């Protein structure tokens, strides 16, 4: 026997706010569901429904308030993208993304239609930093543009990437953005000192990005990276170590504390890149 859901509020023709038998409030989505639920006290839960729970009254209220402000087509597109995230990237995501991504895209489309440009060079390295997530975001942006017959700029894929990474890793959007900015600024600092761009297909660049990601995680967990060759690295790789120290200063701007052992390991990666010249 299928579970009965109590209809609380019809949000639009496709989305209904319901309460299950345990008393939990659920967002239930299916084409025409809102229209066919009019004048009904209950609906029978179906496997075809997209059902999700937004924890906390604030999140639920925010979503209920957001729905009437958005094009139903955009809501459908956003839901489709999130389902793809679950199947292609991660089965377990923070469901706040239903609010965050929809709200972001709605505002981006508003800016686009008003001719308000938002320019940033912040996303240059995202294909390297985020790999599969960034590739997915590029495809999602193409899908959005084609479905709505608009032309949101490529930078939007960077913002979509941040929202997805935040949902998968359950970080705040601000924290995710800070980490991305830190890694991007670190790469630009190295390139400025070297006086050249590091090719994206460089294995050493990929290793450096991976190291920076794990360095941030170790710093967050107060883990110490002990490098027994630290003194030798400082003596032999003076230029690389100096750049690594500069990166540790950048890290402090984001409340990331890279200890000396971490800095010396970073110097090794920088030295490897320098040797590619």
């Amino acid at each position: 026997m299928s579970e009965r859901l109590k209809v609380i509020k019809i949000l639009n023709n496709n989305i209904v706010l319901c309460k299950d038998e345990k008393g939990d409030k659920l967002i239930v989505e299916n084409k025409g569901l809102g229209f066919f639920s009019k004048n009904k006290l209950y609906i029978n839960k179906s496997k075809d429904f997209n059902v999700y729970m937004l924890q906390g009254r604030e999140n639920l209220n925010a979503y209920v308030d957001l729905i009437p402000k958005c094009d139903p087509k955009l809501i459908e597109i956003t839901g489709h993208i999130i389902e793809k995230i679950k199947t292609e990237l991660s089965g377990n995501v923070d469901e706040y993304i239903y609010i965050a991504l929809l709200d972001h895209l709605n505002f981006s489309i508003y800016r686009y239609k008003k001719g308000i440009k938002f320019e940033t060079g912040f996303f240059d390295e995202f294909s390297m930093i985020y790999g599969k997530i960034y590739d997915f975001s590029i495809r999602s942006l193409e899908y959005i543009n084609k479905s709505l017959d608009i032309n949101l700029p490529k930078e939007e894929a960077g913002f979509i990437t941040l929202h997805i990474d935040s949902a998968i890793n359950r970080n705040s959007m601000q924290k995710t953005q800070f980490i991305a900015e830190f890694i991007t600024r670190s790469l630009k600092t190295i390139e400025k000192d070297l006086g050249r761009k590091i090719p994206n297909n460089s294995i050493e660049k990929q290793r450096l990005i991976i190291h920076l990601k794990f360095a941030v995680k170790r710093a967050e967990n107060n883990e110490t990276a002990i490098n027994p060759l630290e003194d030798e690295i400082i003596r032999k790789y003076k230029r690389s170590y100096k750049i690594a120290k500069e990166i540790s200063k950048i890290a402090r701007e984001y409340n990331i504390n890279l200890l000396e052992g971490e800095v010396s390991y970073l110097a090794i990666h920088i030295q490897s890149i320098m040797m590619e010249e």
Side-chain angles (χ1 to χ4, degrees):
M1 184 176 176
S2 61
E3 182 182 357
R4 287 208 314 168
L5 302 175
K6 185 176 182 180
V7 176
I8 298 175
K9 187 175 184 179
I10 294 170
L11 303 182
N12 69 14
N13 279 343
N14 304 318
I15 304 173
V16 179
L17 176 63
C18 295
K19 188 181 284 188
D20 66 13
E21 293 169 353
K22 293 183 292 184
D24 293 326
K25 289 182 179 178
L26 307 171
I27 302 294
V28 185
E29 241 181 303
N30 197 45
K31 199 157 189 72
L33 180 64
F35 179 80
F36 292 113
S37 298
K38 288 177 182 177
N39 304 318
K40 288 188 178 181
L41 293 177
Y42 292 91
I43 57 175
N44 291 321
K45 188 175 179 181
S46 166
K47 62 178 182 177
D48 297 325
F49 292 172
N50 183 19
V51 180
Y52 48 97
M53 183 188 302
L54 293 170
Q55 299 289 348
R57 183 181 295 177
E58 284 186 14
N59 287 344
L60 186 61
N61 290 344
Y63 189 76
V64 170
D65 290 343
L66 180 60
I67 291 297
K69 301 172 186 174
C70 299
D71 180 343
K73 179 87 173 166
L74 177 62
I75 298 169
E76 182 183 337
I77 289 166
T78 306
H80 176 75
I81 290 170
I82 294 170
E83 290 309 303
K84 286 285 187 183
I85 292 168
K86 292 178 180 179
T87 56
E88 294 186 23
L89 297 175
S90 173
N92 186 20
V93 297
D94 186 340
E95 293 197 328
Y96 182 71
I97 194 173
Y98 281 95
I99 301 170
L101 185 57
L102 177 60
D103 188 41
H104 170 77
L105 291 174
N106 192 49
F107 187 59
S108 294
I109 292 167
Y110 169 82
R111 280 200 321 258
Y112 167 79
K113 290 181 176 178
K114 293 290 184 182
I116 303 169
K117 292 186 178 179
F118 186 86
E119 295 181 2
T120 176
F122 172 47
F123 303 117
D124 293 349
E125 309 291 343
F126 267 35
S127 61
M128 292 287 292
I129 297 172
Y130 290 105
K132 281 176 65 177
I133 294 178
Y134 184 71
D135 292 342
F136 177 91
S137 299
I138 288 286
R139 286 186 277 117
S140 296
L141 179 61
E142 291 169 353
Y143 168 63
I144 293 164
N145 282 337
K146 184 177 179 181
S147 299
L148 296 175
D149 194 23
I150 56 177
N151 189 28
L152 294 178
K154 191 176 179 181
E155 284 80 5
E156 276 301 324
F159 286 112
I160 294 170
T161 298
L162 291 176
H163 280 290
I164 295 173
D165 186 76
S166 176
I168 289 174
N169 293 302
R170 298 181 181 269
N171 290 330
S172 70
M173 184 66 173
Q174 183 183 44
K175 180 180 175 183
T176 300
Q177 185 168 336
F178 274 12
I179 293 170
E181 282 186 17
F182 162 62
I183 294 174
T184 300
R185 283 183 62 189
S186 298
L187 293 169
K188 290 188 183 301
T189 297
I190 297 168
E191 290 178 336
K192 183 179 178 182
D193 189 275
L194 297 181
R196 65 179 174 86
K197 182 85 174 168
I198 308 168
N200 280 349
N201 61 1
S202 162
I203 293 174
E204 298 302 336
K205 184 174 185 178
Q206 294 175 33
R207 286 174 180 162
L208 173 63
I209 289 171
I210 291 168
H211 175 81
L212 287 170
K213 283 183 176 180
F214 280 102
V216 170
K217 281 191 176 182
R218 284 191 289 269
E220 287 176 346
N221 296 330
N222 294 316
E223 296 175 7
T224 304
I226 299 171
N227 190 341
L229 301 176
E230 186 176 324
D231 292 338
E232 186 178 352
I233 290 164
I234 294 171
R235 179 174 53 80
K236 284 181 66 177
Y237 305 143
K238 289 184 171 63
R239 184 182 173 191
S240 297
Y241 185 75
K242 183 181 177 183
I243 299 171
K245 288 293 284 183
E246 186 63 31
I247 290 172
S248 72
K249 290 178 186 175
I250 294 170
R252 282 199 291 274
E253 294 179 33
Y254 298 96
N255 293 320
I256 301 166
N257 185 26
L258 301 183
L259 300 177
E260 282 301 312
E262 200 74 71
V263 173
S264 61
Y265 276 120
L266 183 54
I268 295 173
H269 285 284
I270 296 169
Q271 183 66 25
S272 297
I273 289 171
M274 288 172 62
M275 290 170 66
E276 288 186 325
E277 291 181 301

